[in-house]
Amino acid sequence: MPQNLPNLLTGLRIVAIPLMVVCYYLPQPISTVGAAVVFIVAAVTDWFDGWVARRMGQTSQFGAFLDPVADKLLVTVALILLMHRMDNIFITLAGMVVIGREIVISALREWMAQLGKRASVAVSGIAKVKTGVQMTAIPILIWYPSWPAVGEIRLLGLFLLALAVFLT
């Protein structure tokens, strides 16, 4: 593994996933706040590691491989936690669509790489918007039981998750 700051941040994002899970199962309100904060910090490192890699010329093939894996793991685990806690058909279907898309895209990228056409499945602008919307919706939905204006916050999170599913 090439040792540089972007790869370190990506690795820390992967290590943060079990911490998010542990926080999620602590007593309320610590659980929702802690898990959401861990998710938010991890999501910010996703943006930051890419920025640092490009700005400091520290891009690597390993980083290009590991970064999307870390994102997929973070989002998948968070959606599974939400499906468990919320026990809601919309959340379950949205989680299935997002997780299913991640699996299909990963498989497609692997297949295209074997054919020597990895660039054919490069990340699109819509995918970046989808990721941003998704990374905003998930912590809102994780955190919402601790917020006083639960209804409005929850609706915002659900709307953003629906938008992410649509963009998926």
Side-chain angles (χ1 to χ4, degrees), residues 93-166:
L93 289 173
M96 289 171 45
V97 167
V98 171
I99 293 167
R101 179 237 182 232
E102 299 301 347
I103 292 168
V104 167
I105 293 298
S106 294
L108 179 61
R109 284 195 176 120
E110 177 65 26
W111 181 48
M112 295 306 282
Q114 288 178 358
L115 297 176
K117 298 181 181 185
R118 179 139 172 79
S120 299
V121 285
V123 177
S124 69
I126 290 176
K128 289 181 184 262
V129 170
K130 184 260 321 166
T131 298
V133 170
Q134 182 175 274
M135 295 292 204
T136 304
I138 289 172
I140 289 172
L141 292 172
I142 289 173
W143 197 331
Y144 93 84
S146 299
W147 291 14
V150 169
E152 294 81 14
I153 298 297
R154 182 172 185 252
L155 287 177
L156 174 62
L158 291 171
F159 170 77
L160 290 172
L161 184 59
L163 180 58
V165 167
F166 174 76

Side-chain angles (χ1 to χ4, degrees), residues 10-23:
T10 300
L12 289 174
R13 192 161 62 251
I14 293 170
V15 170
I17 295 168
L19 178 61
M20 179 181 67
V21 172
V22 168
C23 288

Side-chain angles (χ1 to χ4, degrees), residues 40-148:
I40 291 166
V41 169
V44 169
T45 66
D46 176 34
W47 171 83
F48 188 63
D49 68 15
W51 182 82
V52 168
R54 288 184 297 277
R55 181 102 168 162
M56 299 177 80
Q58 294 184 346
T59 58
S60 67
Q61 288 183 341
F62 182 75
F65 158 76
L66 191 60
D67 185 69
V69 170
D71 298 344
K72 288 169 184 18
L73 287 170
L74 178 68
V75 168
T76 298
V77 170
L79 286 171
I80 290 168
L81 292 172
L82 285 173
M83 288 187 277
H84 173 260
R85 180 166 288 166
M86 295 181 86
D87 192 25
N88 173 302
I89 191 165
F90 170 74
I91 297 293
T92 302
L93 289 173
M96 289 171 45
V97 167
V98 171
I99 293 167
R101 179 237 182 232
E102 299 301 347
I103 292 168
V104 167
I105 293 298
S106 294
L108 179 61
R109 284 195 176 120
E110 177 65 26
W111 181 48
M112 295 306 282
Q114 288 178 358
L115 297 176
K117 298 181 181 185
R118 179 139 172 79
S120 299
V121 285
V123 177
S124 69
I126 290 176
K128 289 181 184 262
V129 170
K130 184 260 321 166
T131 298
V133 170
Q134 182 175 274
M135 295 292 204
T136 304
I138 289 172
I140 289 172
L141 292 172
I142 289 173
W143 197 331
Y144 93 84
S146 299
W147 291 14

